[in-house]
Amino acid sequence: VVYSFIYFSLITVFYSLIKRNQKRWVALLGALMMSVDIFIFRHATMAYTNLAYVVFLSLGLIYLGFWLHSSNKKELLVGSILVALSTWIRASDPFWYIGLIIIVIGIIKNKKQIKQGVGLILATIGIYKFWDVFVKSLNLINSKKISREAIYINALFGGTDLG
């Protein structure tokens, strides 16, 4: 059910993004073509993280691309949140760095939004680091049977070795 909702959300948001610059029938045709694409549809029927990762990352990058073009702060916020949430699905993949590069390019292009851009870069990295610490703590708990409290306290004070 969750993957069907993510798939439906992808199609709906993709349609609304295309409709911004194209006629309604072009947006409907684009959304239809994406919805019947066998590669994406197959991932919507499997319980893997591939679909959620692709949806968050690609829509986040599309929103950041729109922000580069229009300098709309809402698109910067939504795009960076989606890119940051993609790190919760797959923190090991470096593709979320593309979002940071787009934000840096946008800051260079539009110096009025430097505060928002830098803030969202730091927030994206913060979300990534928070999730990274959380995943590492779960790995330590499972492998060494260390208490969660000890790991969280250790992570708060910058320690890394508990073994």
Side-chain angles (χ1 to χ4, degrees), residues 44-68:
T45 61
M46 294 185 284
Y48 294 135
T49 59
N50 296 347
L51 180 69
Y53 178 71
V54 167
V55 168
F56 285 144
L57 184 64
S58 62
L59 289 179
L61 294 177
I62 290 170
Y63 270 105
L64 289 175
F66 273 108
W67 169 69
L68 270 178

Side-chain angles (χ1 to χ4, degrees), residues 54-119:
V54 167
V55 168
F56 285 144
L57 184 64
S58 62
L59 289 179
L61 294 177
I62 290 170
Y63 270 105
L64 289 175
F66 273 108
W67 169 69
L68 270 178
H69 182 61
S70 69
S71 299
N72 185 346
K73 294 177 187 177
K74 290 179 185 177
E75 290 170 347
L76 171 63
L77 180 65
V78 171
S80 59
I81 288 172
L82 287 170
V83 168
L85 289 177
S86 75
T87 66
W88 282 30
I89 299 167
R90 272 204 203 131
S92 61
D93 288 351
F95 298 111
W96 64 277
Y97 289 127
I98 297 169
L100 299 180
I101 292 169
I102 291 173
I103 295 173
V104 168
I105 291 169
I107 290 171
I108 293 169
K109 180 183 169 193
N110 187 358
K111 297 189 188 311
K112 292 179 184 177
Q113 294 186 355
I114 193 165
K115 288 181 185 177
Q116 293 90 3
V118 170

Side-chain angles (χ1 to χ4, degrees), residues 7 34 36-44 46 50-51 54:
Y7 181 65
M34 188 182 64
V36 297
D37 178 36
I38 192 69
F39 184 73
I40 295 173
F41 184 76
R42 191 176 334 134
H43 282 290
M46 294 185 284
N50 296 347
L51 180 69
V54 167

Side-chain angles (χ1 to χ4, degrees), residues 137-153:
S137 71
L138 291 179
N139 290 339
L140 281 174
I141 290 170
N142 292 335
S143 67
K144 297 184 180 183
K145 305 296 183 205
I146 300 171
S147 73
R148 289 182 194 262
E149 293 79 16
I151 291 170
Y152 294 140
I153 290 170

